[in-house]
Amino acid sequence: MDYILLAEQFFNGFQLGIILFLVAAGLTLIFGIMDLVNLAHGTLYMFGAFFAATFVQLTDSLVLGMILTLPAMLIAGLILELSVLRTLYERDHLDQVLATFGLIIFFNELFLIVWGAEGTGINLPPYLSGLITLPGGITVPDYRVVIIISGLLVAVLLYLLVSKTRIGMLIRAGASNREMVGALGINIKLLFTLVFGLGAVLAGFAGMIITPITQAESGMGEGMLILAFVVIVIGGIGSIKGAFIAAILTGLIDTMGRSFIDVALMSFMDSVAAETAGPAISSMLIYILMAVILAIKPSGLFPPKGA
Amino acid sequence: MSIQFLKTPRGIYNSLLILLCVFMPIIAPLIGQEFYTDVVARVMIVTIAAISLNFIMGYGGMISFGHAIFVGIGGYSVGILASHGIESAYIQWPVGILMSGLFALIIGAISLRTRGVYFIMITLAFAQMMYFLSVSVEKYGSDDGLTIDARSDFGLSFFDLNDAMTMYYTAFMLMVGCLYLNFRIVNSRFGRVLRAGKSNNERMATIGYPTFRYKLVAFVIAGMMCGLSGLLSANFEDFVSPDLLFWTFSGELIFMVVLGGMGTIMGPLGGAMIFLFLTEILSNITEAWHLIFGPFLILVVLFARGGVEGFLKKYEDPNG
Amino acid sequence: MADIMLKVENLVKRFGGLVATDSFSMDVIQGEIHAIIGPNGAGKTTLIHQLSGLLNSDSGTIQFDGKEISHLSAPKRCHAGMVRSYQITSIFKDFSVLDNVAMSIQAREGHSFRFWDDAGKDADLSEKAMKILNETSLQDKAGILADNLAHGEQRQLEVAMALATSPKMLLLDEPMAGMGPEESSTVTKFLNSMKVNYTMLLIEHDMDAVFALADRITVLVYGKAIACGTPEEIRSNKEVRAAYLGDG
C-alpha cells in the first residue's frame, strides 16, 4: 500500500470529521436541550457558505469576509429561531420534521434563484494556495491545514464554553435533564435562543470554512445534515464528546473507505469485481458502522444520562 | 351507518376522491387535460406508499423518514430483473415484494430497538445509504437510472400492462385493495395492539405485550406494501432512478399522510391527490414553485394539524 | 408458614455511583396485602420498575410463584401472573374505557397476530371486558373515551386494566396518588374487597390507607429494607420512627 497516499487520505478524512463535528455539535445540543429535530440545520451550513462567499467577494479579503460571516450567521440563526422554530418547541417531532423540511425546500429554492444552479465560491488568496510538505514526503494543501487547525480551535473553544462557564453548565444540565433547567429558575426562552444561535454559528462556520475547496451550492446542506444525524446517532444525542469522537470516526471511515476499499477487496476477489463492489460498499460503510453500533448500544456510544 | 356516512362532508369528499380515480380517464379528455389521467395514475401509485406509511406512522406512531427505501426496492427489483431479461410478473412481483419485506425486516429490527427521534434519524440514514448504493452501481445506471424496456409480463392476452387502461385500472384496483387491507388490519386485534402501542408503549409491555415484535411485523407489512407501490411505479414510468430513494421523497410521503389526515383510512388518498395536483399546478404557474410550497407546508403543520380529514371532522362535529 | 408468592433477595440497582436499590430483600405471602412505604427518594419507583421488569437489576433474585423471574421481560412477568399499575395514570387515552380493558383481556388470550376480524365486534372480548368493568364499578362508563373520565375514575380504570390480565398478584404503585380523602377511602374499601381474590404489593404514600389495609409493611430507606412487620410493629419500631415517621 502507498503510505503517502494513506497519510494524505487520513488528513482528508480528519478534515471531513472536523466539519462534521461542527455541524453535529450544534444539532446535538439543539436536540438535547430543546428537544427540537431541526432538519434545517443543514440549511444553516448552506447559509454559512453563501454568506462567506458573498462577504469575501464584497470585501475582496478572505479574512475580513469570514470575520463578517460569523455575526451574520448569529443574526440569521436568531431570526430563524424567533420567527419559526420557537413555535415548534412545544410540538411533537413529526411537526418539527415537517416544518423544518418546509424551511429546507424554501431556502434551497431561494438560493437557487439568487445564485443559480452553479452557485458561487471563494478563490483562495495566493498565500493559502500552496502545499505544505510534512516529514516523510507527505504533501497537504495549506488550506486544509487551516481548516483542521481552525476547526480544532473552535472545538476547543466550544469545550471550554460548555465545561468552564456558567452558561455552559446550564447547557450541559439542559442536555441531560431538561426539566432541571426550568427548575433552576433560568430564563429558558433566552437560553434556547442563545443555544440555537450558537448552533447556527457553528454550522455556518463549517459551511464557510469548507467553501474555498468545494462550492457554495443550493442543496449542499442536506447531505451534511444526514451525515450529522449518523454522527449524533453514533455518538449519543446531547453529547458533545460523543459527537466529536463519532464525527472523526465517520470522517475517517468514509474517506479512507472510498480510497482503499477496492484495494482491500482485491486481496480476496478479482479486480473487476472489486472495482464494481468497491464504490457500492464504501458508500454504505458509515451506515453499516452506525447499524453495528446501534445493534450493540441502541442509545449511541455516549448516551444521555437517565436514558 | 355507511349510507349515513356518505352524506357527511367527509363521506362526500371521500366518494369524490374515489369517483375521480374511477372516471379520470373519461373526464380528462373531455376537459382537454389528457395528462390528468397520468397524474391520477401517479396519485394512486403513490397512495399505496402513503397508505403503508400511514399504517406505521398514523396508527403505530413510527415516524419513518426513510419510507422511500421500500418504493425504491420494489422499483429496482423490476428494473434489475428486466435488465437481465426476466420480464415475467410472476418472478418480478414476488421478488419485489419479498425483497422489500426482507429489507424492512432488517432495517426495522435495527431501528425499532431505538425510540423517538433516533428512529427518525436512523430510517433517514438507511434511506440515504440505499440512495448512495443506487447511485454507485454503474451496472444499473447509477445517477441516470434504468430504463425498463418492457412492463411486467403476466402472460395473459387480456391482461397486458402495456395497455394504458389496463395499467391504470390495475393501479386503481391495487390501491383499493390496500385501502381495504389497511382498514381491516387497523381494526383487527393486531391493529389494536399497534394503535395502543402508539398511545402508550410501556403500558402495553406491562399488560403483557412484547411490543417489539408487533411493531416489527407492522413495519414488514408496510415495507411490502410500499414495495408494491414501487413495482407499479417502475411499470408505469418504464423507468427507475435513485430519485425514488432520495430523502425528499420520504419527506413528501410524510407530508402527504399529514395533509390527508394522519391515522385515517382515506387520508393517504386525499393527501396524495392534493399534493400531486398542487405541485402540478404550481409548477405550471412558476418555475420557482418551491418558494410557495415550502411555506405552505409549514402553514399546514402549524395550523392544520389534522389534515383534510381532521378539518372535515371538526366541521361535522364542532365539539369533537 | 403460608405459601410465599413473591420472594426478593439481595436486589441491587446502581445508576452510576448512586445505589438506588441496595441489597433489598422481602417476601409477599399469598393472600396478603403487603405495603412498602418510604420517604421521597427512598427508591420506591426504581424498585417497582425492577419488579415489573422495566429495569434490569444489577444483581439479586426475584422469585414469583416458585419461579425465578428476574431475567424475564416485562410482558413475560405479566403472563406469569404479576401485573403492575401506575402512579401516574397510564391508560390508552384515545381508546374507550371498554377497549382499554379489552386490551388487557386480548393480551392474556395468546398472541394478537390476527389481522382480519374486527376486534370491536368480538363479542367474547367485549363480554369479558364488561365483566371486569362491573367488578370495578365502571360499567356505566364503558363507551366513554378514557381521556374524558374524571381523575378518580381513571385511577379505577388503571386498576381495572391490571385486573383484566388475570393476575395472581397486583403491584400497585400509589393507587391513591392525587386523591382527596373521600376518593381515597373509596379506593381503600375497594382494595379491601379485592383482598379475597388477589395478593397485593402496595406502594403508597397515604399512611392512613397503608395502616388500614396492609397485613405487613416493609419500610424502604435509601434503597434498603430497614424494617418489616405488622402495622403495629412498624408503628412502634424506633428505627422507623427515626428514619421516616419522625416522632409524630
Side-chain angles (χ1 to χ4, degrees):
Chain A
M1 207 179 277
D2 181 346
Y3 289 98
I4 292 182
L5 183 64
L6 188 70
E8 283 169 3
Q9 289 304 322
F10 183 85
F11 255 96
N12 291 342
F14 196 76
Q15 173 220 308
L16 174 62
I18 293 281
I19 297 289
L20 267 176
F21 167 71
L22 294 171
V23 177
L27 196 62
T28 201
L29 279 181
I30 288 168
F31 180 74
I33 295 170
M34 283 96 103
D35 197 18
L36 173 74
V37 190
N38 179 22
L39 296 188
H41 203 70
T43 302
L44 294 168
Y45 174 80
M46 177 175 76
F47 274 24
F50 278 98
F51 284 4
T54 307
F55 287 132
V56 170
Q57 286 157 14
L58 284 177
T59 60
D60 211 16
S61 153
L62 183 76
V63 176
L64 198 57
M66 287 193 167
I67 288 173
L68 283 172
T69 301
L70 297 178
M73 278 313 298
L74 183 65
I75 294 166
L78 296 183
I79 291 174
L80 213 54
E81 202 268 351
L82 293 170
S83 60
V84 180
L85 293 164
R86 171 168 282 198
T87 58
L88 294 174
Y89 296 148
E90 296 299 309
R91 300 300 197 98
D92 62 24
H93 291 149
L94 180 60
D95 286 2
Q96 297 171 350
V97 162
L98 274 180
T100 53
F101 180 46
L103 284 177
I104 294 178
I105 293 176
F106 176 76
F107 282 113
N108 279 352
E109 187 71 28
L110 186 68
F111 281 44
L112 192 67
I113 292 170
V114 177
W115 277 283
E118 68 286 351
T120 181
I122 297 174
N123 293 321
L124 284 174
Y127 61 89
L128 283 174
S129 311
L131 292 170
I132 292 176
T133 307
L134 299 177
I138 303 157
T139 55
V140 184
D142 289 339
Y143 189 70
R144 286 197 192 271
V145 179
V146 172
I147 293 180
I148 290 176
I149 291 176
S150 62
L152 281 176
L153 206 65
V154 172
V156 170
L157 285 176
L158 184 65
Y159 169 77
L160 291 176
L161 175 76
V162 171
S163 65
K164 304 286 181 207
T165 64
R166 181 174 152 73
I167 189 131
M169 185 208 75
L170 291 173
I171 291 175
R172 269 182 299 141
S176 59
N177 188 345
R178 215 163 295 144
E179 285 77 31
M180 194 174 121
V181 179
L184 290 173
I186 306 298
N187 183 343
I188 288 278
K189 276 194 168 171
L190 184 64
L191 180 71
F192 280 10
T193 308
L194 287 177
V195 170
F196 193 87
L198 175 67
V201 172
L202 287 171
F205 183 87
M208 164 182 92
I209 200 94
I210 200 73
T211 300
I213 51 174
T214 57
Q215 271 290 75
E217 291 169 331
S218 164
M220 68 188 284
E222 281 64 68
M224 197 48 82
L225 171 84
I226 297 173
L227 278 182
F229 274 165
V230 172
V231 164
I232 65 177
V233 164
I234 293 176
I237 290 174
S239 165
I240 299 237
K241 183 169 77 172
F244 186 79
I245 291 170
I248 301 297
L249 202 63
T250 305
L252 286 176
I253 289 180
D254 192 50
T255 309
M256 308 283 269
R258 282 175 206 282
S259 316
F260 299 110
I261 199 115
D262 42 359
V263 181
L265 289 174
M266 269 181 230
S267 61
F268 60 89
M269 56 168 78
D270 70 87
S271 61
V272 178
E275 268 165 34
T276 314
I281 295 178
S282 62
S283 67
M284 294 168 67
L285 220 47
I286 53 165
Y287 303 99
I288 295 169
L289 171 77
M290 177 190 79
V292 170
I293 287 178
L294 282 177
I296 303 164
K297 299 193 77 170
S299 306
L301 294 175
F302 299 93
K305 290 185 188 74
Chain B
M1 143 162 185
S2 54
I3 298 295
Q4 212 56 32
F5 173 71
L6 290 179
K7 290 181 184 160
T8 64
R10 251 180 345 132
I12 294 167
Y13 157 76
N14 285 332
S15 316
L16 275 178
L17 285 174
I18 293 286
L19 290 175
L20 211 58
C21 293
V22 175
F23 293 113
M24 192 46 99
I26 301 167
I27 301 168
L30 291 180
I31 56 172
Q33 303 282 356
E34 305 208 357
F35 71 99
Y36 276 10
T37 307
D38 280 357
V39 177
V40 174
R42 283 194 189 100
V43 166
M44 298 188 299
I45 292 168
V46 168
T47 295
I48 294 176
I51 295 168
S52 147
L53 179 61
N54 186 39
F55 176 62
I56 55 166
M57 184 173 82
Y59 294 99
M62 294 169 252
I63 305 172
S64 162
F65 206 138
H67 225 55
I69 296 174
F70 308 114
V71 182
I73 290 172
Y76 268 96
S77 298
V78 173
I80 290 173
L81 287 172
S83 78
H84 290 280
I86 302 168
E87 286 164 2
S88 164
Y90 305 107
I91 297 174
Q92 285 184 350
W93 288 45
V95 166
I97 290 172
L98 288 176
M99 286 303 281
S100 306
L102 181 68
F103 272 81
L105 183 69
I106 297 167
I107 291 170
I110 296 168
S111 316
L112 286 169
R113 283 165 53 83
T114 66
R115 271 176 299 176
V117 68
Y118 278 95
F119 186 79
I120 301 175
M121 295 185 196
I122 293 161
T123 46
L124 176 58
F126 277 123
Q128 189 79 342
M129 174 178 94
M130 295 307 288
Y131 171 75
F132 281 132
L133 181 65
S134 68
V135 168
S136 69
V137 182
E138 273 171 42
K139 191 165 186 302
Y140 301 120
S142 42
D143 277 349
D144 302 329
L146 260 181
T147 303
I148 298 165
D149 296 331
R151 290 181 174 174
S152 300
D153 181 7
F154 282 85
L156 301 168
S157 57
F158 57 89
F159 187 80
D160 181 0
L161 290 183
N162 290 304
D163 173 60
M165 283 305 102
T166 307
M167 181 71 228
Y168 183 93
Y169 286 105
T170 302
F172 175 74
M173 290 312 292
L174 287 171
M175 176 194 75
V176 171
C178 288
L179 283 170
Y180 185 64
L181 183 68
N182 177 59
F183 169 74
R184 293 304 299 226
I185 296 181
V186 297
N187 287 304
S188 71
R189 287 194 175 211
F190 180 83
R192 282 193 171 197
V193 173
L194 192 64
R195 286 185 287 140
K198 181 194 180 193
S199 174
N200 192 337
N201 195 53
E202 184 182 306
R203 185 68 195 235
M204 284 300 279
T206 53
I207 60 172
Y209 291 97
T211 52
F212 176 82
R213 67 180 76 147
Y214 287 99
K215 284 185 176 172
L216 186 57
V217 169
F219 198 76
V220 172
I221 293 173
M224 294 197 290
M225 196 184 281
C226 218
L228 176 66
S229 168
L231 290 171
L232 285 168
S233 170
N235 272 293
F236 178 74
E237 311 286 356
D238 302 309
F239 179 65
V240 285
S241 77
D243 286 352
L244 274 184
L245 291 148
F246 199 50
W247 70 276
T248 50
F249 182 44
S250 295
E252 286 166 5
L253 281 175
I254 296 182
F255 181 55
M256 288 179 221
V257 171
V258 170
L259 182 63
M262 205 169 66
T264 61
I265 299 293
M266 295 291 285
L269 175 57
M273 188 76 84
I274 297 169
F275 179 89
L276 288 189
F277 270 97
L278 197 68
T279 52
E280 188 68 45
I281 292 164
L282 281 179
S283 60
N284 279 335
I285 297 171
T286 165
E287 212 175 307
W289 61 277
H290 283 108
L291 276 188
I292 306 163
F293 183 70
F296 169 71
L297 200 159
I298 298 172
L299 291 176
V300 169
V301 173
L302 292 183
F303 302 111
R305 196 43 234 276
V308 180
E309 291 271 343
F311 174 77
L312 292 177
K313 205 169 178 185
K314 232 181 243 163
Y315 175 81
E316 275 167 40
D317 171 17
N319 307 316
Chain C
M1 200 181 194
D3 285 345
I4 289 179
M5 181 66 92
L6 177 75
K7 189 170 179 65
V8 180
E9 279 180 308
N10 297 318
L11 211 59
V12 175
K13 181 71 198 178
R14 287 185 205 91
F15 294 109
L18 182 81
V19 186
T21 306
D22 190 358
S23 297
F24 177 85
S25 300
M26 73 171 298
D27 55 63
V28 179
I29 297 165
Q30 185 160 18
E32 77 168 338
I33 296 184
H34 193 134
I36 294 179
I37 59 172
N40 279 329
K44 298 189 294 271
T45 305
T46 304
L47 181 64
I48 200 162
H49 275 35
Q50 282 175 275
L51 293 178
S52 57
L54 293 173
L55 263 183
N56 288 326
S57 302
D58 294 326
S59 65
T61 59
I62 306 169
Q63 281 181 354
F64 177 72
D65 205 18
K67 282 185 301 249
E68 167 65 36
I69 61 160
S70 45
H71 296 290
L72 295 186
S73 65
K76 282 191 175 147
R77 290 184 203 196
C78 179
H79 289 299
M82 182 166 76
V83 68
R84 67 168 292 180
S85 72
Y86 282 82
Q87 175 187 353
I88 297 163
T89 307
S90 181
I91 53 182
F92 308 117
K93 289 185 175 172
D94 40 3
F95 279 38
S96 73
V97 170
L98 186 76
D99 288 347
N100 265 275
V101 175
M103 287 315 296
S104 296
I105 310 266
Q106 193 181 314
R108 75 183 195 213
E109 292 186 340
H111 69 78
S112 290
F113 291 106
R114 297 198 221 165
F115 299 93
W116 198 251
D117 291 327
D118 189 339
K121 291 181 185 144
D122 189 331
D124 183 56
L125 199 59
S126 323
E127 207 173 287
K128 286 174 180 159
M130 205 60 212
K131 202 170 145 248
I132 299 286
L133 290 183
N134 278 320
E135 279 176 35
T136 46
S137 321
L138 282 168
Q139 64 275 22
D140 298 337
K141 311 281 178 185
I144 292 176
L145 210 59
D147 201 23
N148 296 339
L149 288 179
H151 176 74
E153 291 166 339
Q154 289 190 344
R155 301 297 306 160
Q156 267 169 281
L157 178 59
E158 176 71 44
V159 176
M161 286 167 74
L163 289 181
T165 63
S166 300
K168 294 173 186 147
M169 190 182 95
L170 290 163
L171 274 173
L172 298 171
D173 189 2
E174 302 205 15
M176 279 78 157
M179 286 188 178
E182 214 163 291
E183 278 178 313
S184 156
S185 80
T186 315
V187 176
T188 305
K189 269 181 216 145
F190 169 65
L191 292 180
N192 224 346
S193 72
M194 292 199 313
K195 202 178 156 182
V196 197
N197 299 318
Y198 301 100
T199 307
M200 280 178 253
L201 179 60
L202 173 69
I203 291 182
E204 185 51 68
H205 254 310
D206 185 331
M207 282 304 125
D208 293 337
V210 167
F211 283 103
L213 277 170
D215 300 301
R216 286 195 300 157
I217 297 173
T218 293
V219 183
L220 184 70
V221 177
Y222 295 123
K224 267 185 181 332
I226 62 163
C228 176
T230 63
E232 290 69 37
E233 286 165 357
I234 294 299
R235 234 189 269 272
S236 55
N237 185 312
K238 268 188 198 152
E239 218 179 322
V240 174
R241 294 176 79 99
Y244 184 56
L245 294 173
D247 265 322

